[in-house]
Amino acid sequence: MRTLRDFGLALASGLLAAFAFPKFNISFLAWIALIPLLFVISRSKPGRAFALGLTAGLSFYGLLLYWIPNVPAHYGGLSLGFSLAATFGLVLLLAFFWGLFGLALSRVSSLWPAAGFVLAPFIWVAQEYALTHILTGFPWGLMGYSQSSNLWLIQASALTGVYGVSAVLVFFQGSFVYSLTRRKRTPFFIGLGVLAAFHVGGALSLGPTNPGPGAFRAAVIQGNVSSDFFQGQVPASEILKQFEHHMNLTRKAADEGAELIVWPEFSVPLCFSCEDPLSRELTDRLLSYARRSGRTLVVGTVEVARLGERIDHFNAVLALQPDQPWTEYHKMHLVPFGEYTPYPSVFGFVERMTQAVGEFTPGAAPVVHDFRDMNFGSPICYEIIFPSLVRQFVRNGAHFLATVTNDGWYGATSAPHQHFGIAVFRAVENRRYLLRAATTGVSGIIDPWGRVVSKSEIMTAAHLTGIVTPSSRRTFYSRFGDVFALFCLTMALVFFILSFFLGRHDRQGKKSRQRIY
């Protein structure tokens, strides 16, 4: 009976945590969601704790990522059954990290109960950091992202990255569980004190909303083009129609004073390195508009490079200047099974899913673009979920960020809203304005403290304008990166390894005492 109850509590933990994310947006649940899991882990042996963590992870990712199966089924031409099986494989892999958290916490807590409560956030961050970097990485559901609208708390990410917000959530809930199981009030009040300190510190660190030196007006364009537009052969007349639609939105933004205008990823099939007549026509019209209007256009394109018989395709962002050659950035971190097939010797049988979008070549460097006397970075779509990748643009001199994306693959699900919430953290971590142009939404402008200046509705055509203030200031996170996460990983590994040596020593001591007495 207890076993059934414990696994039911673990299952509930995962579901509650998922409900804290968009579009459910019950963000306060993130402050209590892990309490049942931490409670059952605290009274379980390592093997059982791993199973409990795995169960919680399965329910969390199963609900959080419910929107994935439709993508390979609809756009990849795969059967729904295969798509569900592939999604379950991904969910199981991600849940494995929650299982490792349970195993490590149980092992450490069994030897040092008090240290277990202190180390819980370190172990949690260690598994989130591992999840970000192992294999291709998929840090979509980091717990801190549930707090994207908690303006005061998320300021901590300028020091620690999103991992610090996750740590505060786990520390608070761990202190509650420790107080409950040990019948001590002090740990809970310590947790409350840490929580209050982060919120007060965040409130005090908020910057001004008024424009600063070098401020300019920018715009993002949302054409609301369905991803079905890219399936099969699209008539030239339809491409020209969509192009003119985006140009009309661009002219409206320019009439409102926008000097820099951002188009989404894959909004119109553009290729500046292609020689076909349609590509040449669209390229010439965009370059001509930039020169005549004096505006800088930032557009998502697919570029090609030929090396002998080899042809490379790049998912790219081009910045078209009115008075100088364009600059070009190639996406570095591609979407596995969407833009390339990872480990083709193993996963070659699902290559058809990749071909639905295209087989791309990764870019080599985080190129920054010029705008007036400043620079900006342009992470593309999926790249925005990787904190260490985005900070490379800032280290290369970006004074603001402009990300382009196509979330139309996911329809009106939670995915576009979750993706937008993740982008909020990249703005705060680096204290940079962030412009986000999404093909079908959510588009928006985010200030360096995570305040959403403007935001579009999903599945609508829109143009959003706002004032952007460039910055050359670097945060602790921009300068030093994942120092906090690496510290957490080190602490977790040290205590986990020590638990084996000290645990063995303790067992040997007990055997010796049994022989003596």
Side-chain angles (χ1 to χ4, degrees):
M1 191 67 182
R2 174 181 160 181
T3 297
L4 187 63
R5 185 175 64 235
D6 283 359
F7 278 92
L9 288 171
L11 188 75
S13 260
L15 294 176
L16 288 172
F19 277 117
F21 287 75
K23 36 176 173 176
F24 306 109
N25 280 326
I26 315 174
S27 60
F28 77 87
L29 288 178
W31 295 99
I32 61 173
L34 297 179
I35 288 175
L37 177 63
L38 293 170
F39 175 73
V40 294
I41 286 175
S42 70
R43 57 181 191 173
S44 299
K45 292 183 178 179
R48 181 188 177 93
F50 174 83
L52 290 165
L54 185 71
T55 300
L58 285 171
S59 62
F60 171 69
Y61 284 109
L63 180 56
L64 186 77
L65 304 178
Y66 75 91
W67 39 266
I68 286 183
N70 183 61
V71 180
H74 184 77
Y75 297 104
L78 302 177
S79 69
L80 181 59
F82 185 87
S83 298
L84 288 169
T87 302
F88 178 75
L90 172 64
V91 167
L92 184 62
L93 173 63
L94 299 174
F96 177 77
F97 290 88
W98 281 46
L100 289 179
F101 166 76
L103 186 154
L105 181 61
S106 171
R107 182 149 198 94
V108 171
S109 297
S110 64
L111 289 173
W112 309 287
F117 128 72
V118 173
L119 286 170
F122 294 93
I123 299 171
W124 184 270
V125 169
Q127 67 90 7
E128 287 195 338
Y129 184 76
L131 180 61
T132 303
H133 294 278
I134 288 180
L135 299 178
T136 66
F138 189 65
W140 188 277
L142 306 189
M143 195 57 61
Y145 288 141
S146 67
Q147 301 302 298
S148 61
S149 60
N150 187 340
L151 199 61
W152 292 357
L153 179 62
I154 65 176
Q155 302 312 310
S157 60
L159 296 171
T160 63
V162 62
Y163 306 107
V165 179
S166 297
V168 174
L169 286 164
V170 176
F171 183 81
F172 173 74
Q173 292 170 89
S175 67
F176 176 81
V177 170
Y178 186 79
S179 291
L180 186 68
T181 56
R182 298 287 165 169
R183 300 183 183 278
K184 296 178 180 180
R185 296 180 180 178
T186 302
F188 178 62
F189 285 116
I190 292 174
L192 279 177
V194 169
L195 178 62
F198 272 88
H199 278 80
V200 171
L204 294 175
S205 70
L206 290 176
T209 56
N210 52 298
F216 63 95
R217 185 170 291 275
V220 294
I221 302 301
Q222 180 175 305
N224 192 33
V225 182
S226 168
S227 293
D228 290 324
F229 183 73
F230 300 97
Q231 303 301 299
Q233 295 297 318
V234 180
S237 59
E238 184 62 25
I239 292 175
L240 288 168
K241 179 182 175 181
Q242 290 296 344
F243 179 83
E244 193 56 44
H245 170 53
H246 283 74
M247 287 303 301
N248 287 336
L249 293 171
T250 299
R251 293 184 190 101
K252 290 178 181 179
D255 289 343
E256 294 174 13
E259 301 175 61
L260 180 137
I261 302 169
V262 186
W263 287 23
E265 178 191 34
F266 296 151
S267 54
V268 176
L270 297 172
C271 178
F272 281 61
S273 53
C274 296
E275 297 297 333
D276 61 282
L278 181 58
S279 294
R280 289 287 91 213
E281 178 183 350
L282 300 185
T283 296
D284 291 343
R285 289 180 62 180
L286 283 170
L287 291 171
S288 175
Y289 178 80
R291 285 192 298 267
R292 286 186 291 103
S293 66
R295 265 65 182 186
T296 295
L297 300 181
V298 181
V299 295
T301 74
V302 174
E303 301 301 323
V304 297
R306 292 175 173 82
L307 297 172
E309 295 184 358
R310 172 182 162 184
I311 301 177
D312 290 333
H313 293 80
F314 299 96
N315 187 345
V317 167
L318 274 62
L320 313 180
Q321 309 288 351
D323 56 356
Q324 58 183 331
W326 71 72
T327 49
E328 186 172 332
Y329 165 68
H330 297 158
K331 187 176 185 179
M332 298 187 294
H333 198 129
L334 302 174
V335 180
F337 305 111
E339 294 174 318
Y340 79 110
T341 303
Y343 313 109
S345 60
V346 178
F347 297 112
F349 66 96
V350 295
E351 195 168 0
R352 190 163 37 133
M353 185 162 58
T354 303
Q355 291 172 348
V357 180
E359 189 76 27
F360 289 97
T361 299
V367 175
V368 294
H369 310 282
D370 298 326
F371 172 67
R372 297 195 322 201
D373 56 349
M374 63 193 82
N375 301 316
F376 68 95
S378 58
I380 299 173
C381 192
Y382 183 64
E383 292 185 317
I384 206 71
I385 76 173
F386 295 94
S388 58
L389 186 152
V390 175
R391 77 176 263 274
Q392 291 181 46
F393 291 97
V394 175
R395 286 179 59 82
N396 277 13
H399 297 94
F400 63 94
L401 300 167
T403 182
V404 304
T405 188
N406 177 17
D407 288 342
W409 311 106
Y410 313 111
T413 66
S414 299
H417 303 276
Q418 292 169 4
H419 206 182
F420 185 85
I422 292 170
V424 169
F425 277 83
R426 304 295 87 86
V428 179
E429 286 165 353
N430 298 286
R431 288 283 186 254
R432 293 293 187 271
Y433 267 90
L434 187 144
L435 306 165
R436 185 176 197 262
T439 304
T440 56
V442 179
S443 301
I445 301 173
I446 304 164
D447 86 355
W449 292 270
R451 291 178 287 230
V452 178
V453 177
S454 60
K455 183 179 178 181
S456 70
E457 296 296 326
I458 199 167
M459 299 300 174
T460 59
H463 68 283
L464 306 175
T465 64
I467 300 297
V468 172
T469 299
S471 175
S472 57
R473 170 192 173 189
R474 291 189 184 179
T475 63
F476 183 88
Y477 184 78
S478 296
R479 289 178 180 274
F480 302 107
D482 294 320
V483 170
F484 173 74
L486 288 169
F487 174 73
C488 290
L489 180 64
T490 302
M491 292 288 288
L493 287 174
V494 166
F495 277 87
F496 184 65
I497 293 169
L498 277 176
S499 71
F500 282 94
F501 289 104
L502 297 181
R504 184 184 304 165
H505 177 75
D506 186 56
R507 287 192 298 272
Q508 289 174 347
K510 287 181 180 179
K511 289 180 181 179
S512 298
R513 288 192 293 273
Q514 288 172 356
R515 286 195 294 270
I516 292 172
Y517 295 105

